Amino acid sequence: MHYATIKDCDIANGPGVRVSLFVSGCTHRCKGCFNEVAWDFHYGEPFTEETVQMILKMLEPAHIQGLTLLGGEPFEPENQEPVLELLRAIKMQYPGKSIWAFSGYLFDKDILSGRLGPWEVTKEYLSYLDVLVDGPFVLEKKDLSLRFRGSSNQRIINVPASLKEGKIVLWEDWQGFERGIK
Ligand code: SF4
């Protein structure tokens, strides 16, 4: 896997101050994509053990709430195993830090179907996620007032609650998060 960027102080892609990893490679090709250069699976830097160690170090300060995965597409079959290794290391070292991911795939129709890779890999990957913002960016549904989403078709999903209940549980509903705000 390659990655485009790592930010060590991101306040736009999840709650609190976060480290964000923009992986390379995306097959969705959404019209109006914010990061077209990262469609190429070989864009940017190779993702290595040194990269994992660098991210672990960035996550160390107490004010860093967690990691956010973006892209590119963190759920492309080619990207799942390297991301999984990172998530394992984070959960072992920082079990209290949250993990968010943004994906153009749909949680129920694409990711849970198991068609994006060996199911054992996808299943363990999902077990480390707190929140998944799913669905492609749809230019016609773009809405700048949305928090953590680019277009209104995307959903902010509470992953552990959804897996437990066997249906989509939205993060805002589960938290009573900012009621009345889109
Ligand atoms: S899923 Fe994200 S990175 Fe991929 S084309 Fe759509 S907006 Fe761009």
Side-chain angles (χ1 to χ4, degrees), residues 6 90 120 149 156:
I6 299 172
I90 292 173
E120 288 310 309
R149 294 181 291 158
I156 308 178

Side-chain angles (χ1 to χ4, degrees), residues 75-78 80 103 105-106 110-111 113-118 122:
F75 272 92
E76 293 293 5
E78 296 88 332
Q80 286 196 26
S103 174
Y105 289 111
L106 294 175
D110 300 317
I111 296 172
S113 76
R115 72 177 183 85
L116 298 176
T122 306

Side-chain angles (χ1 to χ4, degrees), residues 10 12 34 49-50 55 57-58 61 68 73 75 94 116 125 127 131 161 164 170 177:
D10 186 346
F34 73 108
E49 179 54 30
E50 286 71 41
I55 292 172
K57 190 82 189 150
M58 288 176 174
T68 298
E73 171 57 68
F75 272 92
Y94 307 113
L116 298 176
Y125 187 145
S127 76
V131 169
K164 187 170 169 213
L170 296 179
F177 170 74

Side-chain angles (χ1 to χ4, degrees), residues 1 6 9 12 17 22 24 34 42-43 49 60 69 76 78 82 85 88 111-113 127 130 132-133 164 172 179 182:
M1 183 173 85
I6 299 172
C9 190
V17 183
F22 292 74
S24 296
F34 73 108
H42 296 288
Y43 178 75
E49 179 54 30
E60 189 176 354
L69 299 160
E76 293 293 5
E78 296 88 332
E85 283 178 28
R88 272 194 202 125
I111 296 172
L112 287 182
S113 76
S127 76
D130 294 285
L132 175 75
V133 184
K164 187 170 169 213
E172 302 97 313
R179 291 191 193 288
K182 285 189 283 180

Side-chain angles (χ1 to χ4, degrees), residues 121-138:
V121 173
T122 306
K123 187 177 165 193
E124 186 180 351
Y125 187 145
L126 288 173
S127 76
Y128 299 132
L129 287 191
D130 294 285
V131 169
L132 175 75
V133 184
D134 83 338
F137 172 68
V138 176

